[in-house]
Amino acid sequence: MTSSPSTGPQTGVLPPPEVFNFAQHLLACNTQRPAKAAFIDDLGSLTYGQLDERVRRMADGLRSLGIKREERVLLMMHDCNDWPVSFLGAMYAGLVPVAVNTLLTVEDYAYMLEHSRAQAVLVSGTLLPALNAAMTRSDHEVLKVIVSGTGSSLGPSELEFEAFLKAHPAALKPASTRADDPGFWLYSSGSTGRPKGTVHSHANPYWTAELYGKGVLALKESDVCFSAAKLFFAYGLGNALSFPMSVGATTILMAERPTPEAVFKRWRGAIGGQRPTVFFGAPTGYAGMLASPALPASNELALRLASSAGEALPAELGSRFTTHFGIEVIDGIGSTEMLHIFLSNRPGQVRYGTTGWPVPGYTIELRDDDNRQVADGEIGDLYIQGLSSALMYWGNRDKTRETFQGGWTKSGDKYVRNSDGSFTYSGRSDDMLKVSGIYVSPFEVEATLVQHPAVLEAAVIGLIDAEGLTKTKAYVVLKDGAQASGDELKTFVKDRLAPYKYPRLIEFITELPKTATGKIQRFKLRERDAGPR
């Protein structure tokens, strides 16, 4: 079924003007608060006034290198105050920053250098060895490398970040970009094949900030935002840059991995003395935090709201978090292609176990294999229509046509629409299992398994037996010190779901394979069990 369509004017949000530079827009939003902290990292605070000047210095510096409009600049940097300066400085200059995952391999970086044809690279000093190794494997020549946070000697084509900024005046005006001009790239975090360079316009982050950051989360100037998801992810980019800057809020940035201990440290205000009021995480992170013996008490924190995305949030996790902290977890789904969340629960309207309702400004349809809409209660492929959809996959026409279909974006997820208009996740299209002719959602089985007091995480895949039939297998990670048998967990699932849904096989492992965003890589589990059973 289809939600009622909403576009800009129908949501009360005015579209950006035809001539529109997103970096300039964010700076203009904050000219009246120059002394307020915009970003706080492990080394210090960056005010909105300082950010404005540094962004414009970066823009002038990048232009001085001879980089032309719409040419790409690779951004390979840990979350720190130099990240927004680099990203927005490139956009201000009319260049296209390409934000890349800092946990990739040298081969990945070599591919991205060649694929993006990046003219310069802005890189953290700790990642410089990986970049240099990638450059030696790539046939593409980079003009300059600008290095943030390094005390080591630099090569002839390498420039130190602070010295580079100081050597250039603040650009007086932004590039005269159009709202629909390419603004930046994000590479998809796909679990198979080469990552896809997803091209977003200058207007796209404007729409996500207006429709979701303001419209759903109701972020405000007094908020302090902290995202476990890094800035190079679409989710993290909205959480920690476009959303807070659009309302003049403060963002805490963290370079290290978001372990429970690292997150708790920032929740308590140990960095910059600011305690977050809004936290953005993923289900895997919430599970780890709730299982941690160092879990803070609610009266130690200033949190008013928590957000979750990346994978569907199990109802049990959301309920436990609310019981402990007294605040809601707003679960939603977004994608690199749509830039941020388009289907979400809302503050004061949370139904745990569902992904909520369409975000105003987005239209949702569920379709069957023949491209026909399915009825409520039936599983269908998720299609989205909205103003933040990417322009294309760079240099990949076939995948562009497959995903972006006449104003609709095919997400690759399967969902069920409930009678109250909310949507329940049923797994990825390529992860759905058909057992005895009936679809089984791996997520539904996983969400049931994690309700067992001994289970920390679970992932369910399908195995083909000797007769060519699909059987379900669960990989289970137990909590530290906990014990449970396979038969015990099978019975636990049978008692709560239709009998055909219980996993026929259960294997206990110490850790599930995941992407850098925390998404379970079920294809690796399938590879592990390749072959007939």
Short mmCIF file of all heavy atoms in Angstrom, two decimals, residues 387-429:
data_model
loop_
_atom_site.label_atom_id
_atom_site.label_comp_id
_atom_site.label_asym_id
_atom_site.label_seq_id
_atom_site.Cartn_x
_atom_site.Cartn_y
_atom_site.Cartn_z
N LEU A 387 12.72 13.64 -2.09
CA LEU A 387 13.53 14.72 -2.65
C LEU A 387 15.02 14.57 -2.40
O LEU A 387 15.82 15.34 -2.94
CB LEU A 387 13.03 16.06 -2.09
CG LEU A 387 11.60 16.42 -2.50
CD1 LEU A 387 11.04 17.51 -1.61
CD2 LEU A 387 11.55 16.85 -3.95
N SER A 388 15.42 13.62 -1.56
CA SER A 388 16.84 13.47 -1.25
C SER A 388 17.49 12.31 -2.00
O SER A 388 18.62 11.93 -1.70
CB SER A 388 17.04 13.26 0.25
OG SER A 388 16.40 12.06 0.69
N SER A 389 16.80 11.76 -3.00
CA SER A 389 17.35 10.63 -3.75
C SER A 389 18.60 11.04 -4.51
O SER A 389 18.70 12.14 -5.06
CB SER A 389 16.30 10.12 -4.74
OG SER A 389 16.82 9.07 -5.52
N ALA A 390 19.59 10.13 -4.54
CA ALA A 390 20.84 10.40 -5.24
C ALA A 390 20.61 10.60 -6.73
O ALA A 390 19.60 10.16 -7.30
CB ALA A 390 21.82 9.24 -5.02
N LEU A 391 21.57 11.26 -7.35
CA LEU A 391 21.49 11.51 -8.79
C LEU A 391 21.78 10.26 -9.60
O LEU A 391 21.16 10.02 -10.64
CB LEU A 391 22.47 12.61 -9.19
CG LEU A 391 22.29 13.97 -8.52
CD1 LEU A 391 23.43 14.91 -8.91
CD2 LEU A 391 20.95 14.56 -8.89
N MET A 392 22.75 9.45 -9.14
CA MET A 392 23.19 8.28 -9.90
C MET A 392 24.28 7.55 -9.12
O MET A 392 24.75 8.04 -8.09
CB MET A 392 23.78 8.72 -11.25
CG MET A 392 25.12 9.44 -11.09
SD MET A 392 25.88 9.97 -12.63
CE MET A 392 25.38 11.68 -12.59
N TYR A 393 24.65 6.38 -9.63
CA TYR A 393 25.91 5.75 -9.27
C TYR A 393 26.92 6.15 -10.35
O TYR A 393 26.69 5.92 -11.54
CB TYR A 393 25.79 4.22 -9.25
CG TYR A 393 24.87 3.66 -8.21
CD1 TYR A 393 23.88 2.75 -8.58
CD2 TYR A 393 24.98 3.99 -6.87
CE1 TYR A 393 23.03 2.19 -7.63
CE2 TYR A 393 24.13 3.44 -5.92
CZ TYR A 393 23.16 2.54 -6.32
OH TYR A 393 22.32 1.99 -5.38
N TRP A 394 28.03 6.72 -9.94
CA TRP A 394 29.00 7.20 -10.92
C TRP A 394 29.58 6.04 -11.74
O TRP A 394 30.06 5.06 -11.19
CB TRP A 394 30.13 7.94 -10.20
CG TRP A 394 31.16 8.51 -11.13
CD1 TRP A 394 32.34 7.95 -11.50
CD2 TRP A 394 31.08 9.77 -11.81
NE1 TRP A 394 33.01 8.76 -12.36
CE2 TRP A 394 32.26 9.89 -12.58
CE3 TRP A 394 30.13 10.79 -11.86
CZ2 TRP A 394 32.52 11.01 -13.37
CZ3 TRP A 394 30.38 11.89 -12.65
CH2 TRP A 394 31.56 12.00 -13.39
N GLY A 395 29.51 6.19 -13.05
CA GLY A 395 30.12 5.22 -13.94
C GLY A 395 29.51 3.84 -13.87
O GLY A 395 30.17 2.85 -14.20
N ASN A 396 28.24 3.73 -13.46
CA ASN A 396 27.60 2.43 -13.34
C ASN A 396 26.14 2.55 -13.80
O ASN A 396 25.22 2.63 -12.99
CB ASN A 396 27.67 1.93 -11.89
CG ASN A 396 27.36 0.45 -11.77
OD1 ASN A 396 26.66 -0.11 -12.59
ND2 ASN A 396 27.90 -0.17 -10.74
N ARG A 397 25.97 2.59 -15.10
CA ARG A 397 24.65 2.83 -15.67
C ARG A 397 23.66 1.71 -15.36
O ARG A 397 22.48 1.96 -15.07
CB ARG A 397 24.78 3.01 -17.19
CG ARG A 397 23.53 3.59 -17.84
CD ARG A 397 23.77 3.88 -19.30
NE ARG A 397 22.61 4.56 -19.89
CZ ARG A 397 22.52 4.82 -21.20
NH1 ARG A 397 23.50 4.47 -22.01
NH2 ARG A 397 21.45 5.42 -21.68
N ASP A 398 24.12 0.46 -15.42
CA ASP A 398 23.22 -0.66 -15.18
C ASP A 398 22.65 -0.62 -13.77
O ASP A 398 21.44 -0.77 -13.56
CB ASP A 398 23.93 -2.00 -15.41
CG ASP A 398 24.19 -2.27 -16.89
OD1 ASP A 398 23.55 -1.60 -17.72
OD2 ASP A 398 25.03 -3.13 -17.19
N LYS A 399 23.51 -0.41 -12.77
CA LYS A 399 23.04 -0.35 -11.38
C LYS A 399 22.19 0.89 -11.15
O LYS A 399 21.23 0.86 -10.36
CB LYS A 399 24.23 -0.36 -10.42
CG LYS A 399 24.76 -1.74 -10.10
CD LYS A 399 23.74 -2.54 -9.28
CE LYS A 399 24.29 -3.89 -8.89
NZ LYS A 399 23.27 -4.69 -8.15
N THR A 400 22.52 1.99 -11.82
CA THR A 400 21.70 3.19 -11.70
C THR A 400 20.28 2.92 -12.18
O THR A 400 19.30 3.28 -11.51
CB THR A 400 22.33 4.35 -12.50
OG1 THR A 400 23.60 4.67 -11.93
CG2 THR A 400 21.44 5.58 -12.48
N ARG A 401 20.15 2.28 -13.34
CA ARG A 401 18.83 1.97 -13.87
C ARG A 401 18.06 1.00 -12.98
O ARG A 401 16.84 1.10 -12.83
CB ARG A 401 18.96 1.38 -15.27
CG ARG A 401 19.30 2.38 -16.35
CD ARG A 401 19.54 1.69 -17.67
NE ARG A 401 19.50 2.62 -18.80
CZ ARG A 401 19.80 2.28 -20.04
NH1 ARG A 401 20.13 1.03 -20.33
NH2 ARG A 401 19.75 3.18 -21.00
N GLU A 402 18.78 0.06 -12.40
CA GLU A 402 18.14 -0.94 -11.55
C GLU A 402 17.61 -0.33 -10.26
O GLU A 402 16.55 -0.73 -9.77
CB GLU A 402 19.16 -2.04 -11.22
CG GLU A 402 18.63 -3.15 -10.34
CD GLU A 402 19.72 -4.15 -10.00
OE1 GLU A 402 20.59 -4.41 -10.85
OE2 GLU A 402 19.71 -4.68 -8.87
N THR A 403 18.32 0.66 -9.72
CA THR A 403 17.96 1.22 -8.41
C THR A 403 17.06 2.44 -8.53
O THR A 403 16.09 2.58 -7.79
CB THR A 403 19.24 1.60 -7.64
OG1 THR A 403 20.04 0.43 -7.45
CG2 THR A 403 18.91 2.20 -6.28
N PHE A 404 17.37 3.34 -9.47
CA PHE A 404 16.62 4.59 -9.60
C PHE A 404 15.67 4.46 -10.78
O PHE A 404 16.08 4.53 -11.95
CB PHE A 404 17.59 5.76 -9.78
CG PHE A 404 18.62 5.85 -8.70
CD1 PHE A 404 19.92 5.45 -8.93
CD2 PHE A 404 18.28 6.31 -7.43
CE1 PHE A 404 20.88 5.52 -7.93
CE2 PHE A 404 19.22 6.38 -6.43
CZ PHE A 404 20.53 5.99 -6.66
N GLN A 405 14.39 4.28 -10.46
CA GLN A 405 13.41 3.91 -11.48
C GLN A 405 12.30 4.96 -11.59
O GLN A 405 11.32 4.92 -10.83
CB GLN A 405 12.80 2.54 -11.14
CG GLN A 405 13.84 1.42 -11.01
CD GLN A 405 13.22 0.08 -10.66
OE1 GLN A 405 12.00 -0.09 -10.68
NE2 GLN A 405 14.06 -0.88 -10.33
N GLY A 406 12.48 5.90 -12.50
CA GLY A 406 11.44 6.88 -12.79
C GLY A 406 10.95 7.64 -11.58
O GLY A 406 9.74 7.79 -11.38
N GLY A 407 11.85 8.13 -10.78
CA GLY A 407 11.47 8.88 -9.58
C GLY A 407 11.39 8.02 -8.34
O GLY A 407 11.31 8.55 -7.22
N TRP A 408 11.41 6.71 -8.49
CA TRP A 408 11.39 5.78 -7.36
C TRP A 408 12.78 5.19 -7.15
O TRP A 408 13.53 4.97 -8.10
CB TRP A 408 10.39 4.65 -7.60
CG TRP A 408 8.97 5.10 -7.60
CD1 TRP A 408 8.23 5.52 -8.67
CD2 TRP A 408 8.11 5.20 -6.47
NE1 TRP A 408 6.97 5.87 -8.28
CE2 TRP A 408 6.86 5.68 -6.93
CE3 TRP A 408 8.26 4.93 -5.10
CZ2 TRP A 408 5.78 5.90 -6.07
CZ3 TRP A 408 7.19 5.15 -4.25
CH2 TRP A 408 5.97 5.63 -4.74
N THR A 409 13.10 4.92 -5.91
CA THR A 409 14.35 4.27 -5.56
C THR A 409 14.04 2.92 -4.94
O THR A 409 13.29 2.84 -3.96
CB THR A 409 15.18 5.12 -4.57
OG1 THR A 409 15.46 6.39 -5.16
CG2 THR A 409 16.48 4.43 -4.20
N LYS A 410 14.60 1.87 -5.52
CA LYS A 410 14.41 0.52 -4.97
C LYS A 410 15.45 0.28 -3.89
O LYS A 410 16.66 0.33 -4.16
CB LYS A 410 14.53 -0.53 -6.08
CG LYS A 410 14.25 -1.95 -5.59
CD LYS A 410 14.34 -2.95 -6.74
CE LYS A 410 14.02 -4.35 -6.23
NZ LYS A 410 14.09 -5.35 -7.33
N SER A 411 15.00 0.00 -2.68
CA SER A 411 15.92 -0.06 -1.55
C SER A 411 16.65 -1.39 -1.41
O SER A 411 17.73 -1.44 -0.82
CB SER A 411 15.16 0.22 -0.24
OG SER A 411 14.40 -0.91 0.14
N GLY A 412 16.05 -2.47 -1.89
CA GLY A 412 16.63 -3.79 -1.65
C GLY A 412 16.18 -4.40 -0.34
O GLY A 412 16.66 -5.47 0.05
N ASP A 413 15.24 -3.73 0.36
CA ASP A 413 14.69 -4.26 1.61
C ASP A 413 13.29 -4.80 1.38
O ASP A 413 12.57 -4.34 0.49
CB ASP A 413 14.63 -3.15 2.68
CG ASP A 413 16.00 -2.62 3.02
OD1 ASP A 413 16.76 -3.34 3.67
OD2 ASP A 413 16.31 -1.47 2.63
N LYS A 414 12.90 -5.74 2.22
CA LYS A 414 11.53 -6.25 2.21
C LYS A 414 10.84 -5.82 3.50
O LYS A 414 11.43 -5.86 4.58
CB LYS A 414 11.50 -7.77 2.05
CG LYS A 414 11.82 -8.24 0.63
CD LYS A 414 11.57 -9.72 0.46
CE LYS A 414 11.86 -10.17 -0.97
NZ LYS A 414 10.82 -9.72 -1.92
N TYR A 415 9.57 -5.41 3.35
CA TYR A 415 8.81 -4.89 4.48
C TYR A 415 7.37 -5.39 4.43
O TYR A 415 6.89 -5.87 3.40
CB TYR A 415 8.80 -3.35 4.44
CG TYR A 415 9.87 -2.73 5.32
CD1 TYR A 415 11.16 -2.57 4.84
CD2 TYR A 415 9.59 -2.34 6.62
CE1 TYR A 415 12.15 -2.02 5.63
CE2 TYR A 415 10.56 -1.78 7.42
CZ TYR A 415 11.84 -1.61 6.92
OH TYR A 415 12.81 -1.08 7.71
N VAL A 416 6.70 -5.22 5.55
CA VAL A 416 5.26 -5.45 5.66
C VAL A 416 4.63 -4.16 6.18
O VAL A 416 5.15 -3.56 7.13
CB VAL A 416 4.95 -6.61 6.63
CG1 VAL A 416 3.45 -6.69 6.89
CG2 VAL A 416 5.46 -7.93 6.07
N ARG A 417 3.55 -3.74 5.56
CA ARG A 417 2.81 -2.59 6.07
C ARG A 417 1.71 -3.10 7.01
O ARG A 417 0.93 -3.99 6.66
CB ARG A 417 2.18 -1.78 4.94
CG ARG A 417 1.55 -0.46 5.39
CD ARG A 417 0.96 0.28 4.18
NE ARG A 417 0.54 1.62 4.50
CZ ARG A 417 -0.68 1.96 4.92
NH1 ARG A 417 -1.59 1.02 5.08
NH2 ARG A 417 -0.98 3.22 5.16
N ASN A 418 1.68 -2.52 8.21
CA ASN A 418 0.71 -2.92 9.22
C ASN A 418 -0.57 -2.11 9.10
O ASN A 418 -0.63 -1.09 8.39
CB ASN A 418 1.32 -2.75 10.61
CG ASN A 418 2.64 -3.50 10.75
OD1 ASN A 418 2.71 -4.68 10.46
ND2 ASN A 418 3.69 -2.80 11.17
N SER A 419 -1.62 -2.55 9.79
CA SER A 419 -2.93 -1.90 9.67
C SER A 419 -2.92 -0.46 10.16
O SER A 419 -3.76 0.34 9.74
CB SER A 419 -3.98 -2.71 10.44
OG SER A 419 -3.61 -2.81 11.82
N ASP A 420 -1.97 -0.11 11.06
CA ASP A 420 -1.92 1.27 11.55
C ASP A 420 -1.03 2.16 10.69
O ASP A 420 -0.75 3.31 11.04
CB ASP A 420 -1.43 1.31 13.00
CG ASP A 420 0.00 0.80 13.17
OD1 ASP A 420 0.59 0.33 12.17
OD2 ASP A 420 0.52 0.88 14.30
N GLY A 421 -0.57 1.64 9.54
CA GLY A 421 0.26 2.43 8.64
C GLY A 421 1.74 2.34 8.93
O GLY A 421 2.55 2.89 8.17
N SER A 422 2.13 1.67 10.02
CA SER A 422 3.55 1.49 10.30
C SER A 422 4.09 0.34 9.46
O SER A 422 3.32 -0.45 8.89
CB SER A 422 3.77 1.20 11.79
OG SER A 422 3.19 -0.05 12.15
N PHE A 423 5.40 0.24 9.39
CA PHE A 423 6.05 -0.77 8.56
C PHE A 423 6.98 -1.62 9.42
O PHE A 423 7.68 -1.11 10.29
CB PHE A 423 6.86 -0.11 7.45
CG PHE A 423 6.03 0.51 6.36
CD1 PHE A 423 5.36 1.71 6.57
CD2 PHE A 423 5.90 -0.11 5.12
CE1 PHE A 423 4.60 2.28 5.57
CE2 PHE A 423 5.14 0.46 4.12
CZ PHE A 423 4.48 1.66 4.33
N THR A 424 6.97 -2.94 9.15
CA THR A 424 7.83 -3.87 9.88
C THR A 424 8.84 -4.48 8.93
O THR A 424 8.49 -4.97 7.85
CB THR A 424 6.99 -4.99 10.53
OG1 THR A 424 6.07 -4.40 11.46
CG2 THR A 424 7.88 -5.98 11.26
N TYR A 425 10.09 -4.44 9.34
CA TYR A 425 11.19 -4.95 8.53
C TYR A 425 11.12 -6.46 8.40
O TYR A 425 10.87 -7.16 9.38
CB TYR A 425 12.50 -4.52 9.19
CG TYR A 425 13.76 -4.95 8.47
CD1 TYR A 425 14.08 -4.44 7.23
CD2 TYR A 425 14.66 -5.84 9.07
CE1 TYR A 425 15.25 -4.80 6.58
CE2 TYR A 425 15.83 -6.21 8.44
CZ TYR A 425 16.12 -5.69 7.19
OH TYR A 425 17.28 -6.05 6.57
N SER A 426 11.39 -6.96 7.18
CA SER A 426 11.38 -8.40 6.96
C SER A 426 12.68 -8.90 6.34
O SER A 426 12.74 -10.02 5.87
CB SER A 426 10.21 -8.79 6.04
OG SER A 426 8.98 -8.58 6.68
N GLY A 427 13.71 -8.07 6.33
CA GLY A 427 15.00 -8.50 5.85
C GLY A 427 15.37 -7.90 4.51
O GLY A 427 14.57 -7.24 3.86
N ARG A 428 16.60 -8.11 4.14
CA ARG A 428 17.05 -7.70 2.82
C ARG A 428 16.46 -8.62 1.76
O ARG A 428 16.17 -9.78 2.02
CB ARG A 428 18.57 -7.76 2.75
CG ARG A 428 19.27 -6.71 3.56
CD ARG A 428 19.14 -5.34 2.94
NE ARG A 428 19.76 -5.29 1.62
CZ ARG A 428 19.64 -4.24 0.80
NH1 ARG A 428 18.92 -3.19 1.17
NH2 ARG A 428 20.22 -4.25 -0.39
N SER A 429 16.29 -8.09 0.58
CA SER A 429 15.72 -8.89 -0.50
C SER A 429 16.54 -10.15 -0.76
O SER A 429 16.00 -11.22 -1.03
CB SER A 429 15.62 -8.06 -1.78
OG SER A 429 14.77 -6.95 -1.59
#
